[in-house]
Amino acid sequence: GQNIDQPTEMTATEGAIVQINCTYQTSGFNGLFWYQQHAGEAPTFLSYNVLDGLEEKGRFSSFLSRSKGYSYLLLKELQMKDSASYLCACMDSNYQLIWGAGTKLIIKP
Amino acid sequence: NAGVTQTPKFRVLKTGQSMTLLCAQDMNHEYMYWYRQDPGMGLRLIHYSVGEGTTAKGEVPDGYNVSRLKKQNFLLGLESAAPSQTSVYFCASSPPDRRETGELFFGEGSRLTVL
C-alpha cells in the first residue's frame, strides 16, 4: 500500500533550526512535496524534489533520498510565524498526490 | 487577485440533507481537485477534473458527485449527507505545467458539519 509517515508534532525555539522528517512508500514516484498550512488556513506550496539532494530556498531547505524513501524539511532561523503544520506529499505513478497527516510545529520564544 | 474561492465557508447539515459546494478559480487552470481533510489524516482526494466537461474519481469518491460545466468552476455535491462526511473540504487547481511539479493552489476551505 501507499504510506507517508511524518511526526505528529514538534517543538522548537525561536531562532533555532528544526528538521522535519518524512518517509514514504508509494506505487511509483514522481516527486516529493512540502506544503505549509497555518491553523484554519489553506495549504501553500513550499518545495518540490524529484532528484536526490538538497534544494535550498531562503530559510527553508528540502532534502530527498529516493533509495531510502526519505525526505526532510529544514527550517533555519525560526520565527514565530513558522508555527504551522507541514505536510509531506508524494506524487505517485498516476501523478496523484499522496499526503501525510502533517507535522504540527510549535515555536516557543 | 481572487485565486481559488470556495463557498460556503461554513455549513451545518442534518443527516440526509443535500448541498453543493462551489469552487471558482480565476487563473485559467485546467486541473481542479476536491479534497477532504480530517484530524490525524492526510488530505484525501475525492474527485478531480483535468478539463471542462471531464471528471474522475479520487481516493474517497463514495457519497459525492461533481460537475465541471465551466472551466473556472468545480462543484462538489452531497446528495444525502452523513455524519461521516463532517470534514473540512478544500478545492485546489493547477495549470498543466505545474501538475508534474505538484504545485496546487488551494481555496480557503469549507467546514461542513453533519448532525
Side-chain angles (χ1 to χ4, degrees):
Chain A
Q2 306 197 103
N3 194 48
I4 311 289
D5 284 321
Q6 51 182 131
T8 302
E9 187 174 294
M10 299 181 69
T11 302
T13 304
E14 188 177 15
I17 299 173
V18 70
Q19 178 175 310
I20 302 173
N21 296 324
C22 172
T23 59
Y24 63 89
Q25 285 181 306
T26 54
S27 55
F29 180 80
N30 280 303
L32 190 290
F33 308 85
W34 286 96
Y35 277 73
Q36 181 189 59
Q37 184 177 24
H38 285 100
E41 297 184 8
T44 55
F45 175 82
L46 284 178
S47 69
Y48 160 65
N49 294 68
V50 68
L51 300 176
D52 289 352
L54 188 69
E55 294 281 342
E56 297 186 77
K57 192 184 293 185
R59 293 188 299 114
F60 292 9
S61 302
S62 56
F63 172 84
L64 174 66
S65 169
R66 289 173 297 172
S67 63
K68 296 182 179 179
Y70 167 70
S71 173
Y72 67 73
L73 181 69
L74 191 72
L75 290 74
K76 302 177 184 177
E77 303 170 11
L78 285 170
Q79 301 175 9
M80 297 303 293
K81 67 178 181 179
D82 297 329
S83 292
S85 289
Y86 291 86
L87 313 182
C88 174
C90 279
M91 185 169 280
D92 68 13
S93 56
N94 295 318
Y95 291 97
Q96 296 295 349
L97 286 172
I98 310 300
W99 297 81
T103 298
K104 182 178 181 180
L105 178 62
I106 299 168
I107 310 296
K108 295 186 175 179
Chain B
N1 196 17
V4 180
T5 304
Q6 294 181 226
T7 52
K9 300 287 191 294
F10 301 93
R11 183 74 187 270
V12 178
L13 287 177
K14 294 181 179 179
T15 297
Q17 286 185 318
S18 63
M19 76 158 297
T20 300
L21 296 175
L22 171 63
C23 177
Q25 52 96 1
D26 62 2
M27 297 175 285
N28 203 34
H29 287 173
E30 292 291 334
Y31 299 108
M32 296 188 75
Y33 310 82
W34 275 108
Y35 285 95
R36 59 177 291 173
Q37 187 174 43
D38 301 292
M41 302 181 72
L43 288 161
R44 291 184 291 168
L45 183 64
I46 304 170
H47 286 278
Y48 65 100
S49 169
V50 300
E52 181 179 319
T54 70
T55 63
K57 294 180 180 179
E59 180 186 356
V60 289
D62 294 343
Y64 305 95
N65 57 74
V66 289
S67 65
R68 182 105 181 263
L69 298 179
K70 293 182 179 181
K71 186 178 183 179
Q72 63 268 33
N73 295 337
F74 195 28
L75 279 62
L76 178 71
L78 286 72
E79 290 187 346
S80 180
S84 61
Q85 294 177 304
T86 294
S87 187
V88 180
Y89 292 85
F90 285 101
C91 176
S93 70
S94 69
D97 63 341
R98 301 284 179 86
R99 186 186 186 212
E100 293 183 9
T101 62
E103 184 174 356
L104 303 182
F105 297 81
F106 283 85
E108 293 181 347
S110 298
R111 185 175 296 275
L112 176 66
T113 302
V114 183
L115 303 175

